[in-house]
Amino acid sequence: MKHLLSIRDLGADGIAEVHDLTDSFVEVSSRAIPKVPALRGRTVAWLFYEDSTRTRTSFEAAARRLSADTVNFSVGSSSVNKGESLRDTALTIQAMGVDAIVVRHASAGVPWQLTRWLDASVVNAGDGWHEHPTQALLDTYTLRERLGGLDGRRIAIIGDIKHSRVAGSNVHAFTAMGAEVVLVAPPTLLPANLDAWPVEVSHDLDAVLPTVDVAYTLRMQLERQRAAPVPSLREFTHRYGLSAERAARLPEHALVMHPGPMNRGVEIAAEVADGPRSVILDQVRNGVAVRMAVLFLLLGSGRPDERVEGTVAARG
Protein backbone atom coordinates (compact mmCIF):
# COMPACT_ATOMS: atom_id res chain seq x y z
CA MET A 1 0.00 0.00 0.00
CA LYS A 2 1.55 3.29 -1.14
CA HIS A 3 -1.19 5.73 -0.02
CA LEU A 4 -4.38 5.74 2.07
CA LEU A 5 -6.80 8.08 0.33
CA SER A 6 -10.22 6.42 0.54
CA ILE A 7 -11.80 3.63 2.56
CA ARG A 8 -13.14 2.36 -0.79
CA ASP A 9 -9.57 1.51 -1.83
CA LEU A 10 -9.28 -1.04 0.98
CA GLY A 11 -12.49 -3.03 0.70
CA ALA A 12 -13.42 -5.67 3.28
CA ASP A 13 -10.13 -7.58 2.99
CA GLY A 14 -8.04 -4.43 3.34
CA ILE A 15 -10.03 -3.25 6.35
CA ALA A 16 -9.64 -6.67 7.98
CA GLU A 17 -5.89 -6.56 7.34
CA VAL A 18 -5.61 -3.20 9.11
CA HIS A 19 -7.73 -4.53 12.00
CA ASP A 20 -5.56 -7.64 12.40
CA LEU A 21 -2.42 -5.52 12.49
CA THR A 22 -4.09 -3.10 14.92
CA ASP A 23 -4.43 -5.97 17.42
CA SER A 24 -0.63 -6.03 17.65
CA PHE A 25 -0.39 -2.29 18.21
CA VAL A 26 -3.11 -2.32 20.86
CA GLU A 27 -0.82 -4.69 22.75
CA VAL A 28 2.15 -2.34 22.19
CA SER A 29 0.08 0.61 23.46
CA SER A 30 -0.74 -1.28 26.67
CA ARG A 31 2.93 -1.69 27.62
CA ALA A 32 4.59 0.40 30.33
CA ILE A 33 6.76 1.93 27.58
CA PRO A 34 4.49 1.93 24.52
CA LYS A 35 7.16 2.29 21.89
CA VAL A 36 8.73 0.01 19.25
CA PRO A 37 11.45 0.66 16.64
CA ALA A 38 9.31 -0.32 13.64
CA LEU A 39 9.71 3.01 11.77
CA ARG A 40 13.09 4.15 13.08
CA GLY A 41 14.73 6.32 10.40
CA ARG A 42 11.41 7.21 8.76
CA THR A 43 9.91 10.72 8.87
CA VAL A 44 6.22 11.64 8.91
CA ALA A 45 4.92 15.22 8.39
CA TRP A 46 1.54 16.77 9.20
CA LEU A 47 -0.01 19.11 6.64
CA PHE A 48 -3.17 20.31 8.38
CA TYR A 49 -5.01 23.21 6.76
CA GLU A 50 -7.92 22.79 9.21
CA ASP A 51 -7.96 22.74 12.99
CA SER A 52 -7.80 19.31 14.58
CA THR A 53 -7.28 17.90 18.05
CA ARG A 54 -8.05 14.18 17.92
CA THR A 55 -6.81 13.25 14.47
CA ARG A 56 -3.58 15.21 14.56
CA THR A 57 -2.53 14.23 18.07
CA SER A 58 -3.55 10.63 17.38
CA PHE A 59 -1.31 10.47 14.29
CA GLU A 60 1.52 12.14 16.22
CA ALA A 61 1.24 9.63 19.06
CA ALA A 62 1.11 6.77 16.54
CA ALA A 63 4.24 7.93 14.69
CA ARG A 64 6.21 8.44 17.90
CA ARG A 65 5.24 5.04 19.29
CA LEU A 66 6.68 3.59 16.08
CA SER A 67 9.91 5.63 16.62
CA ALA A 68 9.39 7.70 13.45
CA ASP A 69 10.71 11.26 13.30
CA THR A 70 8.01 13.91 12.86
CA VAL A 71 7.77 17.29 11.14
CA ASN A 72 5.04 19.65 12.25
CA PHE A 73 3.49 22.17 9.88
CA SER A 74 1.19 24.90 11.14
CA VAL A 75 -0.72 26.91 8.54
CA GLY A 76 -1.10 29.79 10.96
CA SER A 77 2.68 30.34 11.20
CA SER A 78 3.73 29.25 7.72
CA SER A 79 4.43 30.77 4.31
CA VAL A 80 0.85 29.89 3.33
CA ASN A 81 -0.05 33.23 4.90
CA LYS A 82 2.36 34.86 2.39
CA GLY A 83 0.58 33.26 -0.55
CA GLU A 84 2.58 30.05 -0.97
CA SER A 85 0.67 27.45 -2.98
CA LEU A 86 -0.28 23.99 -1.74
CA ARG A 87 2.06 22.43 -4.31
CA ASP A 88 5.06 24.52 -3.25
CA THR A 89 4.36 23.88 0.42
CA ALA A 90 4.08 20.13 -0.09
CA LEU A 91 7.21 19.93 -2.25
CA THR A 92 9.14 21.99 0.31
CA ILE A 93 8.19 19.63 3.11
CA GLN A 94 9.01 16.57 1.02
CA ALA A 95 12.44 18.02 0.21
CA MET A 96 13.24 17.81 3.93
CA GLY A 97 13.39 14.03 3.57
CA VAL A 98 9.83 13.17 4.51
CA ASP A 99 8.57 9.65 3.81
CA ALA A 100 4.85 10.27 4.43
CA ILE A 101 2.57 13.31 4.60
CA VAL A 102 -0.68 13.24 6.59
CA VAL A 103 -2.96 15.89 5.12
CA ARG A 104 -6.23 17.53 6.13
CA HIS A 105 -7.77 20.16 3.88
CA ALA A 106 -11.14 21.86 3.48
CA SER A 107 -11.24 21.01 -0.23
CA ALA A 108 -12.26 17.55 -1.39
CA GLY A 109 -9.65 15.81 -3.53
CA VAL A 110 -6.51 17.48 -2.16
CA PRO A 111 -4.91 14.16 -1.03
CA TRP A 112 -5.33 12.74 -4.54
CA GLN A 113 -3.75 15.87 -6.02
CA LEU A 114 -0.76 15.56 -3.68
CA THR A 115 -0.05 12.03 -4.94
CA ARG A 116 0.48 13.52 -8.43
CA TRP A 117 3.17 15.88 -7.13
CA LEU A 118 4.94 13.85 -4.44
CA ASP A 119 6.96 10.67 -4.16
CA ALA A 120 6.12 10.42 -0.45
CA SER A 121 3.18 8.39 0.79
CA VAL A 122 0.01 10.41 1.41
CA VAL A 123 -2.60 9.74 4.11
CA ASN A 124 -5.99 11.42 3.88
CA ALA A 125 -6.82 12.78 7.34
CA GLY A 126 -10.01 14.42 6.06
CA ASP A 127 -10.78 16.24 2.80
CA GLY A 128 -13.74 18.58 2.74
CA TRP A 129 -17.09 16.79 3.10
CA HIS A 130 -15.68 13.78 1.29
CA GLU A 131 -13.65 11.16 3.21
CA HIS A 132 -11.99 10.38 6.53
CA PRO A 133 -10.70 6.82 6.07
CA THR A 134 -8.78 6.38 9.34
CA GLN A 135 -11.89 7.40 11.31
CA ALA A 136 -13.79 4.63 9.51
CA LEU A 137 -11.01 2.16 10.32
CA LEU A 138 -11.01 3.00 14.03
CA ASP A 139 -14.82 2.92 14.17
CA THR A 140 -15.05 -0.49 12.52
CA TYR A 141 -12.24 -1.75 14.75
CA THR A 142 -14.06 -0.52 17.87
CA LEU A 143 -17.25 -2.28 16.77
CA ARG A 144 -15.36 -5.48 16.02
CA GLU A 145 -13.84 -5.26 19.50
CA ARG A 146 -17.17 -4.61 21.25
CA LEU A 147 -19.65 -6.59 19.13
CA GLY A 148 -17.38 -9.27 17.68
CA GLY A 149 -17.97 -8.06 14.13
CA LEU A 150 -20.32 -6.05 11.94
CA ASP A 151 -21.88 -8.81 9.83
CA GLY A 152 -25.67 -8.62 10.21
CA ARG A 153 -25.54 -5.59 12.51
CA ARG A 154 -27.74 -2.54 11.94
CA ILE A 155 -26.23 0.92 12.43
CA ALA A 156 -28.00 4.28 12.50
CA ILE A 157 -25.92 7.31 11.47
CA ILE A 158 -27.72 10.32 12.87
CA GLY A 159 -27.59 14.06 12.26
CA ASP A 160 -25.58 16.27 9.92
CA ILE A 161 -24.74 13.68 7.27
CA LYS A 162 -24.56 16.18 4.41
CA HIS A 163 -21.47 17.98 5.72
CA SER A 164 -19.78 14.94 7.30
CA ARG A 165 -16.72 13.27 5.77
CA VAL A 166 -17.01 10.70 8.58
CA ALA A 167 -20.42 9.63 7.27
CA GLY A 168 -19.02 9.36 3.74
CA SER A 169 -16.31 6.91 4.81
CA ASN A 170 -18.29 5.06 7.47
CA VAL A 171 -21.21 4.15 5.22
CA HIS A 172 -18.83 2.33 2.91
CA ALA A 173 -16.78 0.77 5.73
CA PHE A 174 -19.81 -0.44 7.70
CA THR A 175 -21.54 -1.94 4.65
CA ALA A 176 -18.29 -3.48 3.35
CA MET A 177 -18.04 -5.35 6.66
CA GLY A 178 -21.59 -6.66 6.39
CA ALA A 179 -23.67 -4.14 8.36
CA GLU A 180 -26.92 -2.46 7.34
CA VAL A 181 -26.88 1.33 7.59
CA VAL A 182 -29.82 3.66 8.07
CA LEU A 183 -29.28 7.41 7.78
CA VAL A 184 -31.48 9.44 10.14
CA ALA A 185 -31.67 13.17 9.45
CA PRO A 186 -33.93 15.91 8.16
CA PRO A 187 -33.93 16.15 4.33
CA THR A 188 -31.88 19.34 4.50
CA LEU A 189 -29.01 17.53 6.26
CA LEU A 190 -28.80 14.68 3.75
CA PRO A 191 -26.70 14.68 0.53
CA ALA A 192 -28.67 15.74 -2.53
CA ASN A 193 -28.12 12.39 -4.26
CA LEU A 194 -27.95 9.13 -2.33
CA ASP A 195 -28.31 6.79 -5.32
CA ALA A 196 -24.77 5.41 -4.89
CA TRP A 197 -25.09 5.03 -1.12
CA PRO A 198 -26.09 1.50 0.04
CA VAL A 199 -28.35 2.80 2.81
CA GLU A 200 -31.88 3.23 4.05
CA VAL A 201 -33.10 6.70 4.96
CA SER A 202 -35.43 7.70 7.77
CA HIS A 203 -36.57 10.98 9.26
CA ASP A 204 -38.00 9.35 12.40
CA LEU A 205 -35.28 8.74 15.01
CA ASP A 206 -37.69 7.41 17.63
CA ALA A 207 -38.88 4.66 15.27
CA VAL A 208 -35.36 3.65 14.25
CA LEU A 209 -33.65 3.44 17.65
CA PRO A 210 -35.26 0.16 18.86
CA THR A 211 -34.08 -1.59 15.65
CA VAL A 212 -30.35 -0.83 15.74
CA ASP A 213 -27.21 -2.22 17.34
CA VAL A 214 -25.37 1.11 17.13
CA ALA A 215 -26.47 4.74 17.32
CA TYR A 216 -23.72 6.80 15.64
CA THR A 217 -24.34 10.50 16.21
CA LEU A 218 -22.63 13.24 14.19
CA ARG A 219 -21.66 16.76 15.13
CA MET A 220 -23.73 19.63 13.75
CA GLN A 221 -21.04 21.23 11.58
CA LEU A 222 -22.19 24.83 11.70
CA GLU A 223 -18.92 26.10 10.21
CA ARG A 224 -19.61 24.19 6.95
CA GLN A 225 -23.26 25.15 6.58
CA ARG A 226 -23.75 27.93 4.03
CA ALA A 227 -27.46 28.24 4.84
CA ALA A 228 -29.66 27.40 7.80
CA PRO A 229 -30.62 23.73 7.19
CA VAL A 230 -32.85 23.52 10.27
CA PRO A 231 -35.12 26.14 11.83
CA SER A 232 -32.97 26.22 14.98
CA LEU A 233 -30.57 24.06 16.97
CA ARG A 234 -33.32 23.69 19.56
CA GLU A 235 -35.63 22.25 16.92
CA PHE A 236 -32.88 19.91 15.65
CA THR A 237 -32.19 18.68 19.18
CA HIS A 238 -35.88 18.15 19.80
CA ARG A 239 -36.24 15.87 16.75
CA TYR A 240 -32.77 14.33 16.29
CA GLY A 241 -30.79 14.82 19.49
CA LEU A 242 -29.84 11.60 21.32
CA SER A 243 -31.27 12.38 24.73
CA ALA A 244 -31.27 10.02 27.71
CA GLU A 245 -34.94 9.29 27.06
CA ARG A 246 -34.20 8.36 23.45
CA ALA A 247 -31.14 6.27 24.36
CA ALA A 248 -33.43 4.20 26.61
CA ARG A 249 -35.25 3.09 23.42
CA LEU A 250 -32.13 1.31 22.18
CA PRO A 251 -31.82 -2.47 22.65
CA GLU A 252 -29.99 -3.43 25.84
CA HIS A 253 -26.76 -4.37 24.03
CA ALA A 254 -26.67 -1.33 21.70
CA LEU A 255 -23.73 1.06 21.63
CA VAL A 256 -23.46 4.83 21.23
CA MET A 257 -20.68 6.35 19.12
CA HIS A 258 -19.56 9.85 18.14
CA PRO A 259 -16.44 10.90 16.17
CA GLY A 260 -15.94 14.08 18.20
CA PRO A 261 -15.74 16.88 18.93
CA MET A 262 -19.19 16.74 20.53
CA ASN A 263 -21.75 19.48 20.89
CA ARG A 264 -23.11 18.28 24.22
CA GLY A 265 -26.76 19.12 24.57
CA VAL A 266 -27.22 19.47 20.80
CA GLU A 267 -26.73 16.16 18.93
CA ILE A 268 -26.01 14.17 22.10
CA ALA A 269 -26.88 14.64 25.76
CA ALA A 270 -24.02 14.72 28.26
CA GLU A 271 -25.42 11.77 30.24
CA VAL A 272 -25.54 9.66 27.05
CA ALA A 273 -22.02 10.64 25.97
CA ASP A 274 -20.71 9.65 29.41
CA GLY A 275 -23.10 6.73 29.94
CA PRO A 276 -22.51 2.96 29.94
CA ARG A 277 -23.48 2.51 26.28
CA SER A 278 -20.92 5.05 25.10
CA VAL A 279 -17.72 3.80 23.42
CA ILE A 280 -16.58 7.29 22.46
CA LEU A 281 -13.34 7.11 24.46
CA ASP A 282 -12.71 3.62 23.07
CA GLN A 283 -12.86 5.19 19.61
CA VAL A 284 -10.21 7.72 20.62
CA ARG A 285 -8.02 5.09 22.29
CA ASN A 286 -8.22 2.71 19.33
CA GLY A 287 -7.46 5.55 16.95
CA VAL A 288 -3.80 5.58 17.97
CA ALA A 289 -3.33 1.83 17.38
CA VAL A 290 -5.22 1.96 14.07
CA ARG A 291 -3.02 4.81 12.85
CA MET A 292 0.08 2.92 13.96
CA ALA A 293 -1.12 0.07 11.76
CA VAL A 294 -1.73 2.41 8.81
CA LEU A 295 1.69 4.08 9.07
CA PHE A 296 3.38 0.71 9.43
CA LEU A 297 1.61 -0.66 6.34
CA LEU A 298 2.67 2.43 4.36
CA LEU A 299 6.26 2.71 5.57
CA GLY A 300 7.25 -0.54 7.23
CA SER A 301 6.52 -3.07 4.52
CA GLY A 302 9.60 -4.58 2.91
CA ARG A 303 11.72 -3.84 5.95
CA PRO A 304 11.41 -7.10 7.88
CA ASP A 305 14.59 -6.33 9.84
CA GLU A 306 12.74 -3.54 11.58
CA ARG A 307 9.46 -5.31 12.26
CA VAL A 308 8.18 -5.28 15.77
CA GLU A 309 9.53 -8.11 17.89
CA GLY A 310 6.74 -10.27 19.21
CA THR A 311 3.98 -8.28 17.52
CA VAL A 312 4.22 -7.38 13.86
CA ALA A 313 6.89 -10.02 13.29
CA ALA A 314 4.38 -12.63 14.41
CA ARG A 315 2.33 -11.94 11.27
CA GLY A 316 5.07 -13.58 9.25
Side-chain angles (χ1 to χ4, degrees):
M1 186 166 71
K2 171 69 173 177
H3 309 291
L4 178 58
L5 304 178
S6 167
I7 199 69
R8 296 171 178 82
D9 296 338
L10 293 176
D13 290 343
I15 293 170
E17 181 183 9
V18 174
H19 288 172
D20 290 344
L21 185 54
T22 298
D23 288 338
S24 299
F25 291 120
V26 167
E27 189 278 326
V28 169
S29 296
S30 69
R31 297 177 184 176
I33 301 176
K35 194 165 186 174
V36 291
L39 295 186
R40 182 182 296 155
R42 299 285 193 162
T43 302
V44 181
W46 329 113
L47 193 59
F48 274 56
Y49 283 77
E50 288 187 319
D51 294 337
S52 170
T53 299
R54 288 163 183 75
T55 303
R56 180 167 177 156
T57 55
S58 182
F59 267 112
E60 289 183 355
R64 288 172 181 164
R65 289 182 185 183
L66 294 168
S67 301
D69 295 320
T70 60
V71 174
N72 288 305
F73 170 83
S74 173
V75 170
S77 58
S78 75
S79 293
V80 171
N81 289 332
K82 301 175 182 177
E84 186 173 69
S85 69
L86 171 67
R87 181 176 184 275
D88 285 342
T89 298
L91 288 172
T92 297
I93 291 174
Q94 179 178 259
M96 297 176 185
V98 165
D99 298 292
I101 290 180
V102 181
V103 59
R104 170 170 287 191
H105 201 284
S107 297
V110 163
W112 282 262
Q113 184 60 52
L114 288 179
T115 65
R116 300 184 185 100
W117 295 330
L118 304 177
D119 296 323
S121 293
V122 176
V123 181
N124 183 359
D127 63 318
W129 304 355
H130 184 214
E131 279 255 19
H132 195 348
T134 58
Q135 181 70 45
L137 287 169
L138 73 89
D139 287 336
T140 48
Y141 182 83
T142 300
L143 290 177
R144 188 181 82 160
E145 182 181 59
R146 296 298 293 259
L147 298 177
L150 278 75
D151 192 33
R153 299 293 186 177
R154 182 170 164 83
I155 301 172
I157 301 179
I158 306 159
D160 186 0
I161 293 156
K162 180 178 180 179
H163 304 97
S164 173
R165 51 194 168 213
V166 172
S169 288
N170 274 6
V171 164
H172 292 278
F174 291 160
T175 55
M177 302 308 288
E180 299 176 8
V181 175
V182 54
L183 305 181
V184 187
T188 51
L189 286 178
L190 289 168
N193 187 347
L194 287 168
D195 291 346
W197 292 46
V199 297
E200 302 172 35
V201 174
S202 174
H203 309 302
D204 187 345
L205 179 58
D206 291 318
V208 167
L209 288 175
T211 72
V212 299
D213 301 288
V214 180
Y216 195 110
T217 58
L218 295 170
R219 183 172 67 90
M220 277 290 278
Q221 304 201 38
L222 301 174
E223 75 279 10
R224 295 181 185 166
Q225 297 175 5
R226 299 186 178 93
V230 292
S232 68
L233 284 181
R234 184 175 180 180
E235 172 70 12
F236 172 82
T237 301
H238 176 67
R239 295 195 57 189
Y240 295 98
L242 191 59
S243 63
E245 293 75 16
R246 283 208 169 100
R249 294 173 177 265
L250 288 163
E252 186 175 350
H253 69 278
L255 304 175
V256 170
M257 305 181 80
H258 193 297
M262 293 180 282
N263 294 313
R264 290 174 180 256
V266 178
E267 69 268 5
I268 188 168
E271 56 266 48
V272 178
D274 300 330
R277 297 181 184 277
S278 173
V279 294
I280 294 169
L281 291 180
D282 293 318
Q283 294 172 262
V284 176
R285 187 178 305 109
N286 288 332
V288 176
V290 163
R291 287 165 176 133
M292 290 172 76
V294 168
L295 291 175
F296 181 81
L297 284 170
L298 293 178
L299 303 179
S301 298
R303 309 182 76 198
D305 56 310
E306 294 188 9
R307 291 197 169 196
V308 186
E309 181 181 358
T311 54
V312 179
R315 299 174 66 239

